């Protein structure tokens, strides 16, 4: 599955971006919310996203790179989001946050930074619907893929099998046709791509090419 990241879109013309997106091979729309605290950047907030949500015809995959993400469960729900991803590193009470997301009627995803080992998921894997592995340090689009992620995907696949978890594996950062193919071979289910898709001359075509390389 492919989840293009809105972070690399032309924010001065979101309506045009959503037009090709709605007609593309994309499965989800990946939405990166940043707070300038958890990550050293700020992206967009809910007043902007409510307009995007209104015109997206595909499920929203919301990636919160913020401290205390539990404060925003209702805001994310109000967007009509399909999936709410919170960072393991931002949630001392992760089990409670995952329950809150489920109670709000959304799928729950847990995200790991590049330096966080997959072993921390041992006791939560069964309770989540998706694990998002960061293959760059979060905060910016267009960064270089960290190759160690390939080992983490394979290790996560083993952990999910062992714990009988049905969680999907999503990977975010530096995804292109080469890294996308390697990630799919390693066991990834969902690929996030910002720069590779939105930075292409023909984003719809780039999205289709990535979907083909991942199938
Ligand atoms: C980075 C974000 C990513 C970003 C990926 O912090 O979480 O979703 O948009 O961008 P690319 O695909 O350009 O690395
Ligand atoms: Zn992201």
């Amino acid at each position: 599955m492919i989840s293009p990241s809105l972070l690399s879109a032309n924010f001065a013309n979101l309506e045009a971006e959503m037009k090709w997106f709605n007609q593309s091979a994309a499965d989800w729309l990946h939405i990166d919310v940043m707070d300038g605290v958890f990550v050293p950047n700020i992206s967009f907030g809910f007043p902007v996203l409510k307009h995007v949500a209104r015109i997206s015809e595909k499920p929203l995959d919301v990636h919160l790179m913020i401290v205390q993400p539990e404060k925003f469960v209702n805001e994310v729900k109000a967007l009509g989001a399909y999936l709410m991803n919170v960072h393991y590193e931002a949630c001392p009470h992760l089990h409670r946050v995952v329950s809150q997301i489920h109670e709000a009627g959304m799928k729950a995803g847990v995200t790991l930074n590049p330096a966080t080992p997959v072993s921390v998921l041992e006791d939560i894997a069964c309770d989540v619907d998706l694990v998002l592995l960061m293959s760059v340090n979060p905060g910016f689009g267009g960064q270089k893929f960290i190759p160690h992620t390939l080992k983490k995907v394979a290790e996560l696949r083993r952990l999910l099998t062992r714990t009988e978890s049905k969680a999907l594996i999503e990977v975010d950062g530096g995804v292109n046709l080469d890294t996308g193919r390697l990630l799919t071979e390693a066991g990834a289910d969902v690929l996030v791509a910002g720069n590779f898709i939105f930075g292409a001359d023909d984003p719809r075509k780039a999205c289709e090419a990535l979907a083909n390389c991942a199938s």
Side-chain angles (χ1 to χ4, degrees):
M1 290 166 68
I2 306 297
S3 192
S5 169
L6 189 71
L7 188 63
S8 294
N10 177 358
F11 295 161
N13 204 351
L14 282 175
E15 195 158 14
E17 297 278 37
M18 294 309 293
K19 212 169 197 172
W20 73 254
F21 170 80
N22 282 334
Q23 295 164 357
S24 74
D27 296 281
W28 296 343
L29 179 63
H30 186 82
I31 293 184
D32 292 298
V33 180
M34 304 179 188
D35 63 357
V37 179
F38 182 70
V39 289
N41 198 8
I42 295 175
S43 52
F44 36 65
F46 295 103
V48 174
L49 291 176
K50 79 172 185 205
H51 296 286
V52 173
R54 194 172 38 83
I55 51 179
S56 172
E57 291 170 12
K58 308 205 185 214
L60 306 183
D61 158 30
V62 179
H63 175 196
L64 296 179
M65 283 162 274
I66 63 174
V67 296
Q68 301 182 313
E70 66 276 6
K71 285 188 179 168
F72 294 94
V73 173
N74 288 338
E75 277 79 356
V76 177
K77 180 191 161 78
L79 292 177
Y82 172 70
L83 178 86
M84 175 167 162
N85 274 301
V86 297
H87 268 260
Y88 165 83
E89 301 84 1
C91 299
H93 305 290
L94 185 57
H95 187 275
R96 180 183 291 144
V97 182
V98 166
S99 305
Q100 287 168 339
I101 296 170
H102 282 151
E103 276 159 26
M106 294 179 283
K107 300 281 183 197
V110 173
T111 309
L112 300 186
N113 276 338
T116 306
V118 298
S119 56
V120 301
L121 297 170
E122 190 77 36
D123 292 330
I124 194 83
C126 268
D127 299 303
V128 300
D129 304 291
L130 178 143
V131 176
L132 173 56
L133 294 181
M134 291 309 301
S135 40
V136 297
N137 286 293
F140 304 91
Q143 299 183 81
K144 203 171 164 293
F145 180 81
I146 299 172
H148 178 66
T149 315
L150 292 169
K151 280 189 201 143
K152 283 178 83 172
V153 172
E155 203 183 329
L156 176 58
R157 178 56 68 205
R158 286 195 292 275
L159 186 147
L160 295 178
T161 306
R162 184 160 39 77
T163 55
E164 295 181 9
S165 166
K166 293 192 170 56
L168 295 173
I169 302 178
E170 183 175 32
V171 184
D172 184 4
V175 170
N176 54 35
L177 292 184
D178 297 329
T179 55
R181 193 173 303 116
L182 293 171
L183 286 165
T184 305
E185 282 166 12
D189 302 298
V190 188
L191 301 178
V192 176
N195 206 46
F196 177 74
I197 293 178
F198 283 91
D201 289 340
D202 186 339
R204 198 171 144 189
K205 232 181 186 165
C207 187
E208 202 177 320
L210 192 59
N212 288 338
C213 103
S215 61

